[in-house]
Amino acid sequence: MPPIKNILVIGAGELGTAVLLALSRHPNLSQDTDISVLLRPASISSPSPTKAHKLSVLRKNNITLVPGDISSSSTRTLTALFASYDTIVSCTGFSAGRGTQLKLAKAVLDARVPRFIPWQFGVDYDVIGRGSAQDLFDEQLDVREMLRAQQETKWVIISTGMFTSFLFEKNFGVVDLEENVVSVLGSLENRVTVTGPGDIGRITAEIVLGDEFNNGKVYVAGDTVSYGQVADIVERVTGKTVEKRVRTVSDAKQDLAKEPENGLFKYQVVFGEGRGVAWDVKETWNYQRGMRLQTAEEWARENLL
């Protein structure tokens, strides 16, 4: 394969930072390969001690900070910026605003970047299909169509399921430790695939530095659990009995009809329907390569106690 000289990661949130550090510390990283991260100028100059510490860690790992705003920049501006890189990994999600994923993909293709990993870390949008309750998903399908329609840029979509932490966050509406309640989405048997950002970072580094760009999807998973199993995990970890309440798709849709812009309700409908949100661990890219990832229960034992 052609040598990888310049890698750009877009964003340094929880996922972006995990990807950057995994790349910078990977044993296969060549001394001739430069790693950069695209950040808003305000983030680079922020007086926040927390942000300053994060940037310091990145610099100590020989990661170059590149100023740029993907939201306000035009496609042409981004194309000119991206042309200097042979590999781009997008780690900026829906918070960047509608249309951003399409703009990034178009700029990457216009710049003829040899390798690209779009921000598609999550569910399988192909299986969910267009017109789902989460309307932002349609743009992800637009990006996939754009990538599939061309031949110059090699790409890979890494389907990871939900961040493990999100499954246990009270805001998601499944696990409520204060009330000792697990709200089941759809049914107790309904399943969800979860993976931690650190593990996603490791896998992304393996794919980038192994040049495993297959112009298609790879499935990864730290764990795939039913909501009944989630309740069991919470009981084992906390030692408390939890009440299981079923949150039906119909209930979530009714609430969404009353609050059409409520993102939580949108996700609850999608995960309650259960399409494209779970796959068997034994069929995943990481399992077939012997990469062991953190399970849902291991995460819970580290973070819920």
Side-chain angles (χ1 to χ4, degrees):
M1 71 178 186
I4 298 174
K5 294 291 187 181
N6 293 295
I7 300 171
L8 177 68
V9 174
I10 303 174
E14 189 176 13
L15 178 60
T17 299
V19 170
L20 286 161
L21 295 180
L23 284 167
S24 67
R25 296 167 181 175
H26 197 284
N28 291 351
L29 182 70
S30 167
Q31 290 185 338
D32 298 328
T33 302
D34 293 324
I35 302 172
S36 301
V37 58
L38 185 66
L39 297 170
R40 287 177 300 172
S43 295
I44 295 175
S45 61
S46 171
S48 162
T50 302
K51 287 190 176 181
H53 174 72
K54 177 188 282 189
L55 298 183
S56 173
V57 171
L58 296 179
R59 289 190 180 100
K60 286 177 181 176
N61 282 274
N62 299 314
I63 295 165
T64 302
L65 310 183
V66 178
D69 192 326
I70 59 173
S71 296
S72 62
S73 296
S74 67
T75 303
R76 180 178 294 181
T77 298
L78 292 173
T79 299
L81 175 64
F82 293 166
S84 302
Y85 301 93
D86 54 45
T87 306
I88 291 181
V89 182
S90 179
C91 292
T92 184
F94 293 134
S95 62
R98 291 180 186 273
T100 302
Q101 305 306 327
L102 263 175
K103 180 167 66 172
L104 289 175
K106 187 175 190 312
V108 167
L109 298 183
D110 287 351
R112 293 180 169 80
V113 176
R115 306 175 189 89
F116 179 45
I117 298 180
W119 188 82
Q120 300 256 336
F121 303 94
V123 297
D124 190 340
Y125 306 104
D126 290 320
V127 175
I128 292 172
R130 292 187 178 276
S132 73
Q134 179 46 278
D135 50 322
L136 293 173
F137 286 0
D138 282 5
E139 184 180 341
Q140 298 293 75
L141 289 168
D142 293 338
V143 169
R144 293 185 180 202
E145 288 185 1
M146 185 182 292
L147 294 174
R148 287 165 176 155
Q150 58 82 47
Q151 299 294 326
E152 284 195 61
T153 296
K154 293 167 62 179
W155 53 276
V156 62
I157 283 166
I158 306 176
S159 295
T160 64
M162 186 190 299
F163 277 11
T164 312
S165 57
F166 193 50
L167 177 61
F168 293 94
E169 278 185 17
K170 183 177 180 180
N171 288 342
F172 183 50
V174 172
V175 177
D176 186 337
L177 294 178
E178 294 176 7
E179 300 294 330
N180 290 323
V181 170
V182 170
S183 296
V184 174
L185 300 183
S187 73
L188 283 167
E189 293 75 31
N190 221 357
R191 301 191 309 160
V192 59
T193 290
V194 296
T195 313
D199 284 334
I200 298 172
R202 289 169 53 211
I203 287 170
T204 302
E206 290 289 335
I207 288 173
V208 168
L209 298 176
D211 197 27
E212 296 205 28
F213 289 76
N214 63 355
N215 293 343
K217 295 178 286 190
V218 298
Y219 293 94
V220 305
D223 210 346
T224 295
V225 290
S226 69
Y227 291 106
Q229 289 173 319
V230 172
D232 293 341
I233 288 170
V234 173
E235 287 188 336
R236 283 195 297 271
V237 170
T238 65
K240 300 176 181 177
T241 301
V242 301
E243 178 189 349
K244 303 179 187 72
R245 298 176 185 167
V246 177
R247 168 84 161 153
T248 67
V249 174
S250 177
D251 290 340
K253 283 184 174 180
Q254 287 178 14
D255 287 341
L256 180 58
K258 297 172 187 172
E259 299 181 41
E261 296 306 311
N262 189 308
L264 170 61
F265 295 156
K266 293 178 182 181
Y267 280 111
Q268 288 180 342
V269 171
V270 170
F271 283 93
E273 289 174 334
R275 290 193 313 274
V277 299
W279 37 89
D280 292 336
V281 173
K282 290 186 177 180
E283 297 174 1
T284 60
W285 186 94
N286 51 284
Y287 184 89
Q288 292 167 0
R289 285 158 180 76
M291 287 183 69
R292 191 187 177 287
L293 309 187
Q294 185 184 51
T295 66
E297 182 157 347
E298 287 168 343
W299 185 94
R301 291 193 180 279
E302 287 184 14
N303 295 278
L304 296 187
L305 294 176

